[in-house]
Structure formats: C-alpha cells, structure tokens
Amino acid sequence: MREPAWRIFAAEYNDAIHVVESEGEKTPKYVITPLGAKVNRLYIVGVLTDLEEIGGEGIRRKARISDPTGSHVVYAETFKPEVASILADIQIPSYVAIVGKARIYEPEEGVLYVSARAEIAKEVNEEIRKYWTLEACKNMAMRIDAIKEAMNMKNPTVANLVEIGYPTIIAEGVIEAIKLYKEIDIEHYEILLKETLSFITSKKLDIKKNLEGEEKIFKIIEEMQGIDGVSWEKVVEEGIKIGMDRESVEEIICSLMEKGLIYEPQLGKLKLV
C-alpha cells in the first residue's frame, strides 16, 4: 500500500526526535512528530530559497524549501536525476511543490535529523502555496485536538480516538506520540498555527499587527534592495536608525527568511521574494 503524503509544516517535522518501524517483512520507518503525524512520505509546498550541488557529477542536490514556520531540507538523489534537473532549472526564489519520502539520519542514539528525499518536484504558483498552507493548518489543527482529547483520557487508545471521530491514521500517530514524547508543548504549536493563519490571511505587507518590526524591516529591504539586494549589515544599520537594537533586527531578518518573504540571492545580501 502506498503511504499517504503528509502536508506538514517544517517546524513540526523538524521537531521530531522519534522513529518507529512497522512490523512484517517490509518494514518502512515512520517519523513520529510531537503532534502525532506518522510520516513516511511528505507533500511540501513553499519557496525554494537555496539549492546546492552535493554530487560529484552535479546530479545530487540539496534544497531548502521555506514555509511560514521554517525550512524543509530536501535531497534530490542520484537515482532520481530528473528531479535534480527540475530543481536546477527552477529560479530562486520560486514556489515549488515536492512529494518525497521521509529521510532519516541517526548519527548516534538520541540524535535524529529529518529531511525529505524528493520523488517529484514541480514549480507552482502562489495560489497553490496558499491552498497547501491552509490544508497543512487544517491537518495540524486536527492533530492538536486529537492530542488534547487523548491527554484527557485515562487510558487513551487508537480505538478510543477512532470512536469519537478521528481517522485511524491520526489516532495511531497521536497514541504513538503520547507514548514517545514525555512532554508535548501544545501551546507552542497552537501559537504557531495562529501565526501561520494570520500570515496567509493578511496582505503581504500587513504581515502581523503585533509584529510592526517585521513590517518596518520588510519595507527597508524593499526600498534598498535594488537589483542585487541590500547588504545584511546595511539593513541592521537602518533598523538601528529607527530605534531598534541589532539583536532584534537580526531576529526579524531570520523570521522573514523563515516565512519565505525574503531570501539571500548571495551570502550577506537580502532581497524580497
């Protein structure tokens, strides 16, 4: 049976520290996220912000795909040279969709790095990105609700969650997550969800009412970027001139990059997406 491709934000996927293996002859591995996504395959849509060759003949590539919560790391491996070629032909920054397998690297016990191994790559438009973001929000909201329901049960089981209406695949992942993660910071993910919904329902420049700093820094970059972009240091200087401190400006720059609103056309330069 082909595994479903999860619409999942980078922040939740990258927080995963546990992997489980199914039983039987073929034993696929699943990344279990803190909210109970049981991921073997992913469907990612975001902004391609970086692409580097990592193979000797240039047919292996490593990409960064930014969504409103962070960045997915995606590999195009040698056995999928057509995917590596597609990525190489896409201009940075552009909206892209990736379908791929979960890529798991455990260099030592207790240390886990997750990424994705691309099977399909395609350039998409902003509307598809918005639709994907909404779908990923809906999926995350369901898992948050399921985690809360399970935590309120004395002995939560998959059957208990299915009985009250959750799909089996969600129930299985949530029960695994509760067993594996001793503490799940649900509030953190609720805030993340709220910020992401605010991000996609606002106009590009109206990033967030309570994040005026982001709007100010966004405008500085917009006004000074020119053709090649504006230097990181120049943006910091301009931010200091309007009363912000260096640390705040640099945090905001990183936040705007993680949201896919700006990128580095070259190291140390900033430009709007």
Side-chain angles (χ1 to χ4, degrees), residues 47-51 64-66 71 92-93 257 260 262-264:
V47 181
L48 176 65
T49 59
D50 186 55
L51 183 70
R64 287 191 177 276
I65 314 293
S66 175
S71 294
I92 296 175
M257 290 178 71
I262 62 173
Y263 74 110
E264 287 183 290

Side-chain angles (χ1 to χ4, degrees), residues 2-6 8 13-14 16 18-20 27-33 37-44 72-75 77 79 98-106 112-120:
R2 194 168 176 82
E3 296 286 343
W6 290 76
I8 188 165
Y13 186 61
N14 293 336
H18 292 289
V19 172
V20 296
T27 56
K29 289 185 176 181
Y30 298 91
V31 174
I32 304 295
T33 71
K38 190 177 177 182
V39 184
N40 178 264
R41 295 177 71 240
L42 308 85
Y43 171 43
I44 303 163
H72 282 284
V73 175
V74 175
Y75 289 87
E77 303 285 8
F79 52 85
I98 300 287
V99 176
K101 300 274 286 186
R103 189 175 186 273
I104 300 160
Y105 177 51
E106 296 177 277
L112 179 71
Y113 298 102
V114 293
S115 54
R117 181 181 296 120
E119 298 173 324
I120 300 170

Side-chain angles (χ1 to χ4, degrees), residues 53-61 78:
E53 293 183 4
I54 55 174
E57 298 179 0
I59 55 173
R60 286 186 76 222
R61 289 189 167 85
T78 51

Side-chain angles (χ1 to χ4, degrees), residues 26-262:
K26 294 183 178 179
T27 56
K29 289 185 176 181
Y30 298 91
V31 174
I32 304 295
T33 71
L35 291 180
K38 190 177 177 182
V39 184
N40 178 264
R41 295 177 71 240
L42 308 85
Y43 171 43
I44 303 163
V45 177
V47 181
L48 176 65
T49 59
D50 186 55
L51 183 70
E52 63 177 297
E53 293 183 4
I54 55 174
E57 298 179 0
I59 55 173
R60 286 186 76 222
R61 289 189 167 85
K62 177 182 174 183
R64 287 191 177 276
I65 314 293
S66 175
D67 70 27
T69 72
S71 294
H72 282 284
V73 175
V74 175
Y75 289 87
E77 303 285 8
T78 51
F79 52 85
K80 283 283 184 183
E82 69 277 17
V83 176
S85 296
I86 291 170
L87 286 173
D89 289 339
I90 297 175
Q91 190 174 0
I92 296 175
S94 294
Y95 297 118
V96 295
I98 300 287
V99 176
K101 300 274 286 186
R103 189 175 186 273
I104 300 160
Y105 177 51
E106 296 177 277
E108 58 185 88
E109 188 174 350
V111 178
L112 179 71
Y113 298 102
V114 293
S115 54
R117 181 181 296 120
E119 298 173 324
I120 300 170
K122 184 180 179 183
E123 186 169 357
V124 296
N125 59 34
E126 188 173 5
E127 286 305 306
I128 290 176
R129 186 214 192 190
K130 284 181 180 176
Y131 180 75
W132 177 90
T133 305
L134 280 172
E135 286 294 302
C137 283
K138 282 166 56 181
N139 294 345
M140 179 187 259
M142 181 187 290
R143 291 195 299 280
I144 288 173
D145 290 344
I147 285 273
K148 285 181 173 178
E149 296 268 17
M151 284 180 164
N152 286 329
M153 295 175 182
K154 190 174 181 182
N155 295 302
T157 65
V158 172
N160 292 150
L161 289 174
V162 171
E163 192 176 356
I164 58 175
Y166 290 101
T168 302
I169 192 170
I170 298 291
E172 288 177 350
V174 164
I175 297 302
E176 289 278 9
I178 288 175
K179 287 179 188 171
L180 294 170
Y181 293 88
K182 301 303 178 190
E183 295 181 0
I184 301 172
D185 188 354
I186 295 175
E187 187 180 356
H188 164 68
Y189 294 105
E190 287 179 322
I191 292 171
L192 203 66
L193 181 61
K194 193 178 294 183
E195 288 182 349
T196 303
L197 284 169
S198 171
F199 168 72
I200 58 174
T201 55
S202 301
K203 290 182 180 178
K204 199 166 184 179
L205 290 178
D206 185 18
I207 299 166
K208 279 179 56 180
K209 287 182 180 177
N210 61 341
L211 285 179
E212 292 179 0
E214 286 195 356
E215 187 171 344
K216 289 176 181 175
I217 297 302
F218 186 93
K219 285 183 177 176
I220 287 172
I221 297 170
E222 183 179 40
E223 291 170 359
M224 302 184 70
Q225 62 181 344
I227 296 174
D228 299 324
V230 55
S231 77
W232 181 296
E233 193 56 35
K234 190 65 182 173
V235 175
V236 172
E237 288 176 8
E238 293 300 310
I240 291 172
K241 284 181 185 175
I242 59 173
M244 303 171 78
D245 59 59
R246 170 177 286 275
E247 186 177 347
S248 298
V249 175
E250 292 187 336
E251 283 181 2
I252 288 170
I253 291 172
C254 292
S255 174
L256 291 173
M257 290 178 71
E258 288 180 351
K259 290 176 177 176
L261 294 173
I262 62 173

